Amino acid sequence: MLISMRSTIVCHIFCTVIDNFGDAGVCWRLARQLASEYSWKVHLFINKLTVLKHLAPGLDSKCEQQVLAGVAIEHWHNLRFTKPISTVLSVANVVIEAFACHLPPLYLAAMEKCPSRVVWINLEYLSFEHWVADFHLRTSPHPRYALTKTFFFPGFDTHTGGVLCEQDLDVHRCNFIKSLAARECWWSTLGIPKPDPSAISVSLFSYENPAIDALLEQWRDGTDQLVLLVPEGKISRSIARFFGHPIGSRAFAAGTNVSTCSLSIHILPFTDQLGYDKLLWSSDINFVRGEDSFVRAQWARKPFIWHIYPQANNAHLQKLDAALTRIGLTLESRPRDALIRFWHAWNGNPMYKILDWQDFIQHREVFRSRAYAWADELAAIGNLAKNLSIFVQNTLK
Ligand SMILES: Cc1cn([C@H]2C[C@H](O)[C@@H](COP(=O)(O)OP(=O)(O)O[C@H]3O[C@@H](C)[C@H](O)[C@@H](O)[C@H]3O)O2)c(=O)[nH]c1=O
């Protein structure tokens, strides 16, 4: 039985949170976009509602099933999937397994028996590497069930799935940037005075990082006034340690403001995803990490520094280089080399021992115009939700 393209697509997204916020962040963003822009009926099964609640504060993390922003959200626990699926749930037209999280066996069995076509997608992690284009949309038959899954690779080339971007994101960004009232309201909601135009504002979202001490020293002793905006989390604890507070103390919780010489630090509460975008739009330079914040920094059109998710045997450094090659492509050698040095030193590459802020920030204007041009290049690839919906439509027709 074929699905009529006029009927609503029902999509089940399965997400296992491994660590941090990226798995939940990507799935939540994708789920909302598919529901709001493509009118898909989206059901997100996620194993840690408490993690999703950080990004979606309206969520009730104690409620097993609820609807938020047009998405049905369900705590994915084994109980539901220990009964024959047909008695508790209908299989969807589109099943997205995020980051190879393994679908429940009873769900696979139900997919196999499903009379209508089911598109089974494994959404992969993001990378700039060239092999991604070769592997995007490759298929793999299941060893036991008569089912085939398709690997959907986000990426930065036309032959990849692209990256997530809501249709109206740039309109929202432009409206925010153009509106002095909106920006002043944002600063005052945080209880922070709007920085002097001569100061550099920096947002810092990163993993624990031994290089932070060197950076804080340079910012503190530098000639530029620097306003550091830090969402509460791993790195805020490292900053507390720099200021002599023992690890584990509640010092440097959200709301903390500290000034020393040229450096003012503000620890911010973790906000929803839109709030985080506003932080990126409001800062001159953004330190980001993982996957989703890295992409958002690119859409923010501001210079950014990526703390990549560390992997065994420094495998992540190759990914870092792939990103630098693309983003730095049109830069002249001096700014490009400074960018490479700074990103690598921030990521602890032993080949780049010195983290030199001045070396980086002297090219600020060049990095700013490159960030603009890069976002335009990225937009030309087409966004992930759109590419996914085109793939699904072509498969189901
Ligand atoms: C700081 C902040 C972030 N966010 C959001 C933005 C993102 O959706 C999310 C953070 O996710 P990321 O940037 O991906 O970083 P991350 O490091 O949190 O997540 C991940 O990185 C992946 C590469 C790994 O595979 C994952 O296992 C995970 O480690 O949190 C907010 O909504 N509000 C905030 O205040």
Side-chain angles (χ1 to χ4, degrees):
M1 188 168 92
L2 288 178
I3 299 286
S4 150
M5 289 318 295
R6 271 188 293 276
S7 58
T8 306
I9 302 255
V10 178
C11 171
H12 288 172
I13 303 179
F14 287 84
C15 171
T16 303
V17 174
I18 306 288
D19 58 3
N20 305 320
F21 302 104
D23 310 290
V26 168
C27 291
W28 176 230
R29 196 182 290 291
L30 175 65
R32 277 181 301 148
Q33 199 183 348
L34 291 174
S36 69
E37 292 178 19
Y38 298 89
S39 303
W40 287 15
K41 230 170 143 236
V42 183
H43 201 128
L44 171 63
F45 295 93
I46 179 163
N47 67 335
K48 286 190 184 158
L49 290 174
T50 46
V51 172
L52 183 57
K53 186 169 173 61
H54 281 94
L55 318 162
L59 190 84
D60 178 352
S61 54
K62 295 207 172 61
C63 179
E64 295 285 305
Q65 291 179 3
Q66 62 203 291
V67 177
L68 192 67
V71 176
I73 303 168
E74 180 164 340
H75 189 199
W76 174 12
H77 53 99
N78 291 330
L79 271 180
R80 169 113 145 163
F81 297 104
T82 53
K83 301 190 188 107
I85 295 300
S86 56
T87 63
V88 287
L89 192 73
S90 303
V91 169
N93 319 116
V94 182
V95 178
I96 301 178
E97 174 186 304
F99 315 120
C101 65
H102 299 302
L103 297 179
L106 280 172
Y107 193 92
L108 286 170
M111 274 165 75
E112 189 182 42
K113 286 204 202 98
C114 187
S116 56
R117 179 83 192 260
V118 180
V119 183
W120 178 17
I121 283 162
N122 182 44
L123 178 66
E124 282 291 337
Y125 286 111
L126 176 70
S127 177
F128 267 88
E129 291 160 295
H130 283 302
W131 57 263
V132 167
D134 291 337
F135 282 80
H136 178 54
L137 299 187
R138 279 207 192 175
T139 55
S140 163
H142 194 280
R144 277 187 293 127
Y145 299 95
L147 293 168
T148 298
K149 73 170 148 186
T150 301
F151 293 93
F152 203 91
F153 277 85
F156 300 89
D157 288 304
T158 31
H159 299 296
T160 68
V163 294
L164 284 171
C165 180
E166 300 79 10
Q167 263 168 26
D168 51 7
L169 175 65
D170 213 48
V171 173
H172 282 307
R173 187 190 63 82
C174 288
N175 289 344
F176 182 78
I177 299 286
K178 279 190 210 140
S179 163
L180 181 63
R183 283 185 287 125
E184 283 183 343
C185 170
W186 183 81
W187 287 100
S188 81
T189 311
L190 291 174
I192 305 172
K194 192 163 165 288
D196 188 89
S198 64
I200 303 175
S201 52
V202 174
S203 83
L204 178 63
F205 180 48
S206 89
Y207 306 112
E208 277 111 355
N209 192 327
I212 187 67
D213 288 18
L215 204 49
L216 290 171
E217 279 167 17
Q218 290 171 45
W219 285 337
R220 180 194 60 198
D221 302 335
T223 46
D224 294 315
Q225 287 299 315
L226 196 134
V227 177
L228 184 62
L229 305 163
V230 190
E232 189 178 26
K234 296 183 176 200
I235 199 70
S236 60
R237 293 193 280 277
S238 308
I239 297 174
R241 186 193 28 73
F242 177 82
F243 282 96
H245 294 277
I247 289 179
S249 77
R250 284 296 295 155
F252 282 72
T256 305
N257 303 305
V258 179
S259 283
T260 168
C261 306
S262 299
L263 175 64
S264 312
I265 304 177
H266 305 280
I267 309 294
L268 311 182
F270 201 95
T271 66
D272 62 3
Q273 287 182 319
L274 174 61
Y276 182 61
D277 277 335
K278 288 183 179 170
L279 172 62
L280 298 173
W281 302 338
S282 302
S283 306
D284 297 315
I285 311 278
N286 293 305
F287 283 72
V288 288
R289 73 182 203 196
E291 180 164 325
D292 193 53
S293 57
F294 170 53
V295 171
R296 301 314 276 186
Q298 296 171 53
W299 293 129
R301 296 174 181 252
K302 298 286 179 81
F304 60 93
I305 296 108
W306 186 25
H307 196 189
I308 189 169
Y309 188 77
Q311 289 177 289
N313 303 322
N314 281 342
H316 56 286
L317 294 180
Q318 216 170 319
K319 285 190 182 175
L320 193 75
D321 271 328
L324 280 163
T325 305
R326 286 295 302 282
I327 293 167
L329 190 66
T330 56
L331 293 176
E332 286 180 9
S333 62
R334 280 188 63 247
R336 192 179 58 235
D337 292 347
L339 188 75
I340 292 170
R341 282 192 290 273
F342 198 83
W343 277 36
H344 272 283
W346 182 241
N347 280 282
N349 183 342
M351 306 274 288
Y352 297 82
K353 288 204 169 58
I354 297 167
L355 186 70
D356 185 344
W357 176 248
Q358 267 317 315
D359 182 41
F360 173 83
I361 202 66
Q362 64 176 322
H363 302 292
R364 180 179 159 188
E365 289 310 318
V366 179
F367 294 149
R368 195 153 59 183
S369 43
R370 176 61 189 141
Y372 246 85
W374 169 246
D376 287 337
E377 286 174 37
L378 199 53
I381 295 168
N383 80 68
L384 190 142
K386 185 174 175 193
N387 291 335
L388 184 70
S389 86
I390 292 170
F391 172 74
V392 165
Q393 291 195 25
N394 289 339
T395 312
L396 290 178
K397 89 177 156 201

